[in-house]
Amino acid sequence: MAINRKLRMGLVGGGPGAFIGEVHRKASRLDGEIELVAGAFDIDPKKSQQMGKQLYLDPKRVYNTYQDMLKAESALPEGDRIDFVAVTTPNNWHFPIARDALKAGFHVMCEKPMTLTSKEAKELQTLVEKKGLVFGLMHNYTGYPMVKLARDMVKKNDVGKIRKVVVQYPQGWLATALEKTGQMQASWRTDPKQSGAGGCVGDIGTHAANLAEYITGLKITDICAELTTFVPGRALDDDCNCLLKLEGGAKGVLHASQIAHGEENNLAIWVHGEKASLEWHQEHPNYLYVRRPSKPEEVWKRGNDYVAGYSAAAARNSRIPSGHPEAFLEAFANNYTNFAETVKSAIEGKKPDPLATDFPGVNEGVRGMLFIETVVASSKSKQKWTPVKK
Ligand code: NAI
C-alpha cells in the first residue's frame, strides 16, 4: 500500500553546539519527505531535553538516551513510531546505536566512518542483509550532481580505461592543538577511544577514498601510506599521504591533511583515463572540467539541458536552474531524499527506482573501515605496500 506521508526520523546526536546533527536536521527536511519527530540529542540528558524544547518537539518523544528512544518508539503503534534512526554522534557510538536500531527493526542513516573496526562494520553488513532494512551512510560528497555526472562519464566509457586518480582533502583547522582548549569537535576527533585508529585518515581520508571509488567504479586494492602527527602531544594522525593501486591496473595518489593552514574543505579529484581527464572541486561543485586530447577544455555546468540529457542521475539530484549555486546542504539532502524513497519502497514492499538507490550504504561503510585499517597498517609497516583485505 502506498504511504502518503512523510517518513518519521529519530535523531541521535546533534545536541547544543554539535555540528553535523544540525546539518542532518536541515538536509532531511529540504524536500519535504522526512520529519523529525523524536531524538536523543546529547550524551548529557539535560542537553537532550534542551534541544528537544528548542526544536518544539513533543516532550514525550525527547529521550535521555538512545536506548530509551528505541524502547519507547518500538512500543508505539506502527502509525506513530519512527521509521528510521539517524546516527550523528562521535564515531565510537555509531556501531552500538546502528546495531540496536537495526535489531529493533528500524532503518538507519549513519554518519561516517561507519564503526571503529572492520569487524564491527561486517557485523552491521550481515545484520542489514538479515533484516532486509535500508542503511544509508553519509558520504555526502557522492550526492553532488556533478560527481554523479563524472561517475556516469566513466560508466559510459567516455573517459576510457582509467590510468590514474588523484584525490585530495586538505583542511587547516587542526594545525594547532585545538583539542587542548576543550573545543568540542576537536576533542573527540583526537581521542582514539572515540575516533578510532585513524585521525585525519578516518575523519576526511575516508571521504576522499569513497569519492575515488564512487566516480571510478574501481576498488582500491593496495595502499602504501604514511601517517604523521605534526601537532605535539596529539594521539592520532593529522596528516595522511597514500599511493594507491586500484582494480584494472589504475594508480592513485590520495592525500588528506588537517594541518594545512588556510585550507577549508578543499576536497578535489582528478581522474585520468585513456580518452579523457576529469576534474571536480567540492568548493566549486557546480562545475566539472573535462579535457580530451587535442581539444579545448570543456566546462560542464550543473542545471543545463546538456547535463540532464547526458546523466539522469545528475538531473534528478539537482533542484534549481543553472547559475544559482547548489552545494553542501543540497548534496546532503540528495542522499536523504534517495534514502527516503528507498525506505518508502521497502515499507510498501516495492522494488525501488534504481536512481533512488544511488546513495552510499553499509557496503561503502565496510570499504571505509578497510581503508582506514590498511592505511594504519601500511604506515606502521616496513614493507609499506599493503593489500586491502576483503
Ligand atoms: P559534535 O561533537 O559536533 O557532535 C556530537 C553530538 O553527539 C553531541 O551533541 C554529543 O553530545 C552527541 N552524543 C555523543 N554521544 C551520544 C550518545 N551516546 N547519545 C546521544 N548523543 C550523543 O560532532 P560532529 O562534528 O557533529 O560529528 C559527529 C559525527 O558526524 C562523526 O562521526 C563525524 O565523523 C561525522 N561528520 C560527518 C561529516 C560529513 O560531512 N558527512 C561532517 C562532520 C562530521
Side-chain angles (χ1 to χ4, degrees), residues 81-102:
R81 76 171 79 118
I82 54 173
D83 296 295
F84 76 93
V85 173
V87 186
T88 70
T89 60
N91 307 348
N92 57 315
W93 286 102
H94 296 177
F95 174 67
I97 298 170
R99 177 199 56 200
D100 294 353
L102 290 166

Short mmCIF file of all heavy atoms in Angstrom, two decimals, residues 81-102:
data_model
loop_
_atom_site.label_atom_id
_atom_site.label_comp_id
_atom_site.label_asym_id
_atom_site.label_seq_id
_atom_site.Cartn_x
_atom_site.Cartn_y
_atom_site.Cartn_z
N ARG A 81 5.11 5.46 15.30
CA ARG A 81 6.54 5.32 15.65
C ARG A 81 7.46 5.79 14.52
O ARG A 81 7.03 5.91 13.37
CB ARG A 81 6.85 3.88 16.04
CG ARG A 81 6.96 2.91 14.87
CD ARG A 81 7.50 1.56 15.33
NE ARG A 81 6.47 0.79 15.96
CZ ARG A 81 6.04 -0.41 15.52
NH1 ARG A 81 6.58 -0.95 14.45
NH2 ARG A 81 5.09 -1.05 16.15
N ILE A 82 8.72 6.04 14.89
CA ILE A 82 9.70 6.47 13.88
C ILE A 82 9.91 5.36 12.84
O ILE A 82 9.74 4.17 13.14
CB ILE A 82 11.07 6.83 14.54
CG1 ILE A 82 11.60 5.69 15.42
CG2 ILE A 82 10.96 8.13 15.32
CD1 ILE A 82 13.01 5.91 15.95
N ASP A 83 10.28 5.78 11.63
CA ASP A 83 10.59 4.82 10.57
C ASP A 83 12.08 4.50 10.56
O ASP A 83 12.49 3.41 10.20
CB ASP A 83 10.22 5.39 9.20
CG ASP A 83 8.74 5.63 9.05
OD1 ASP A 83 7.98 4.64 9.08
OD2 ASP A 83 8.33 6.81 8.93
N PHE A 84 12.88 5.54 10.89
CA PHE A 84 14.33 5.30 10.83
C PHE A 84 15.06 6.13 11.89
O PHE A 84 14.53 7.11 12.42
CB PHE A 84 14.88 5.58 9.43
CG PHE A 84 15.03 7.03 9.07
CD1 PHE A 84 16.23 7.72 9.26
CD2 PHE A 84 13.98 7.74 8.50
CE1 PHE A 84 16.37 9.05 8.91
CE2 PHE A 84 14.11 9.08 8.14
CZ PHE A 84 15.31 9.73 8.35
N VAL A 85 16.29 5.68 12.16
CA VAL A 85 17.16 6.35 13.13
C VAL A 85 18.33 6.98 12.38
O VAL A 85 18.95 6.31 11.54
CB VAL A 85 17.68 5.32 14.17
CG1 VAL A 85 18.72 5.95 15.09
CG2 VAL A 85 16.52 4.74 14.98
N ALA A 86 18.62 8.24 12.67
CA ALA A 86 19.81 8.88 12.11
C ALA A 86 20.86 8.98 13.22
O ALA A 86 20.57 9.44 14.32
CB ALA A 86 19.47 10.27 11.58
N VAL A 87 22.08 8.54 12.90
CA VAL A 87 23.16 8.47 13.90
C VAL A 87 24.19 9.55 13.60
O VAL A 87 24.90 9.46 12.58
CB VAL A 87 23.83 7.07 13.88
CG1 VAL A 87 24.84 6.96 15.03
CG2 VAL A 87 22.79 5.96 13.95
N THR A 88 24.28 10.56 14.46
CA THR A 88 25.18 11.69 14.20
C THR A 88 26.09 11.98 15.40
O THR A 88 26.44 13.12 15.66
CB THR A 88 24.37 12.96 13.83
OG1 THR A 88 23.67 13.42 15.00
CG2 THR A 88 23.36 12.70 12.74
N THR A 89 26.41 10.93 16.13
CA THR A 89 27.29 11.04 17.31
C THR A 89 28.75 10.89 16.88
O THR A 89 29.02 10.48 15.75
CB THR A 89 26.97 9.88 18.26
OG1 THR A 89 27.23 8.66 17.52
CG2 THR A 89 25.53 9.88 18.72
N PRO A 90 29.70 11.09 17.82
CA PRO A 90 31.09 10.70 17.52
C PRO A 90 31.18 9.22 17.14
O PRO A 90 30.30 8.40 17.48
CB PRO A 90 31.82 11.00 18.83
CG PRO A 90 31.02 12.13 19.43
CD PRO A 90 29.59 11.82 19.09
N ASN A 91 32.27 8.85 16.49
CA ASN A 91 32.41 7.54 15.83
C ASN A 91 32.17 6.33 16.72
O ASN A 91 31.61 5.33 16.28
CB ASN A 91 33.81 7.41 15.22
CG ASN A 91 34.16 8.57 14.31
OD1 ASN A 91 33.29 9.36 13.96
ND2 ASN A 91 35.41 8.69 13.92
N ASN A 92 32.63 6.40 17.98
CA ASN A 92 32.56 5.22 18.85
C ASN A 92 31.13 4.78 19.13
O ASN A 92 30.88 3.63 19.48
CB ASN A 92 33.27 5.49 20.18
CG ASN A 92 32.72 6.68 20.93
OD1 ASN A 92 32.48 7.73 20.34
ND2 ASN A 92 32.47 6.54 22.21
N TRP A 93 30.16 5.67 18.94
CA TRP A 93 28.77 5.32 19.20
C TRP A 93 28.03 4.77 17.98
O TRP A 93 26.93 4.24 18.10
CB TRP A 93 28.00 6.55 19.74
CG TRP A 93 28.35 6.88 21.15
CD1 TRP A 93 29.19 7.88 21.57
CD2 TRP A 93 27.88 6.23 22.33
NE1 TRP A 93 29.27 7.87 22.93
CE2 TRP A 93 28.47 6.88 23.43
CE3 TRP A 93 27.02 5.14 22.57
CZ2 TRP A 93 28.23 6.48 24.74
CZ3 TRP A 93 26.77 4.75 23.87
CH2 TRP A 93 27.39 5.42 24.94
N HIS A 94 28.62 4.93 16.80
CA HIS A 94 27.89 4.54 15.59
C HIS A 94 27.47 3.07 15.63
O HIS A 94 26.32 2.74 15.33
CB HIS A 94 28.74 4.75 14.32
CG HIS A 94 29.09 6.18 14.06
ND1 HIS A 94 29.89 6.57 13.01
CD2 HIS A 94 28.76 7.33 14.69
CE1 HIS A 94 30.04 7.88 13.00
NE2 HIS A 94 29.37 8.37 14.02
N PHE A 95 28.44 2.20 15.98
CA PHE A 95 28.15 0.76 15.91
C PHE A 95 27.04 0.35 16.88
O PHE A 95 26.04 -0.25 16.44
CB PHE A 95 29.43 -0.05 16.14
CG PHE A 95 29.18 -1.52 16.23
CD1 PHE A 95 28.74 -2.23 15.11
CD2 PHE A 95 29.35 -2.21 17.42
CE1 PHE A 95 28.49 -3.60 15.19
CE2 PHE A 95 29.10 -3.58 17.51
CZ PHE A 95 28.66 -4.27 16.39
N PRO A 96 27.16 0.64 18.19
CA PRO A 96 26.08 0.17 19.07
C PRO A 96 24.71 0.75 18.71
O PRO A 96 23.71 0.04 18.76
CB PRO A 96 26.53 0.61 20.47
CG PRO A 96 27.66 1.56 20.28
CD PRO A 96 28.25 1.28 18.94
N ILE A 97 24.68 2.01 18.31
CA ILE A 97 23.38 2.63 18.01
C ILE A 97 22.78 2.02 16.74
O ILE A 97 21.62 1.61 16.71
CB ILE A 97 23.50 4.18 17.88
CG1 ILE A 97 23.99 4.78 19.19
CG2 ILE A 97 22.15 4.79 17.47
CD1 ILE A 97 24.38 6.25 19.10
N ALA A 98 23.60 1.92 15.68
CA ALA A 98 23.11 1.35 14.41
C ALA A 98 22.68 -0.10 14.62
O ALA A 98 21.63 -0.52 14.15
CB ALA A 98 24.18 1.46 13.34
N ARG A 99 23.52 -0.86 15.32
CA ARG A 99 23.20 -2.28 15.57
C ARG A 99 21.86 -2.41 16.31
O ARG A 99 20.97 -3.16 15.90
CB ARG A 99 24.32 -2.93 16.39
CG ARG A 99 24.07 -4.39 16.76
CD ARG A 99 24.94 -4.82 17.93
NE ARG A 99 24.73 -3.95 19.08
CZ ARG A 99 25.59 -3.81 20.09
NH1 ARG A 99 26.72 -4.47 20.10
NH2 ARG A 99 25.31 -3.00 21.11
N ASP A 100 21.72 -1.66 17.40
CA ASP A 100 20.50 -1.78 18.21
C ASP A 100 19.26 -1.29 17.45
O ASP A 100 18.18 -1.85 17.59
CB ASP A 100 20.65 -1.02 19.54
CG ASP A 100 21.71 -1.64 20.44
OD1 ASP A 100 22.23 -2.73 20.09
OD2 ASP A 100 22.04 -1.04 21.48
N ALA A 101 19.44 -0.25 16.63
CA ALA A 101 18.31 0.26 15.84
C ALA A 101 17.87 -0.78 14.82
O ALA A 101 16.68 -1.04 14.65
CB ALA A 101 18.70 1.57 15.15
N LEU A 102 18.84 -1.40 14.14
CA LEU A 102 18.50 -2.45 13.16
C LEU A 102 17.82 -3.63 13.86
O LEU A 102 16.82 -4.15 13.36
CB LEU A 102 19.77 -2.94 12.44
CG LEU A 102 20.44 -1.95 11.48
CD1 LEU A 102 21.84 -2.43 11.12
CD2 LEU A 102 19.61 -1.78 10.20
#
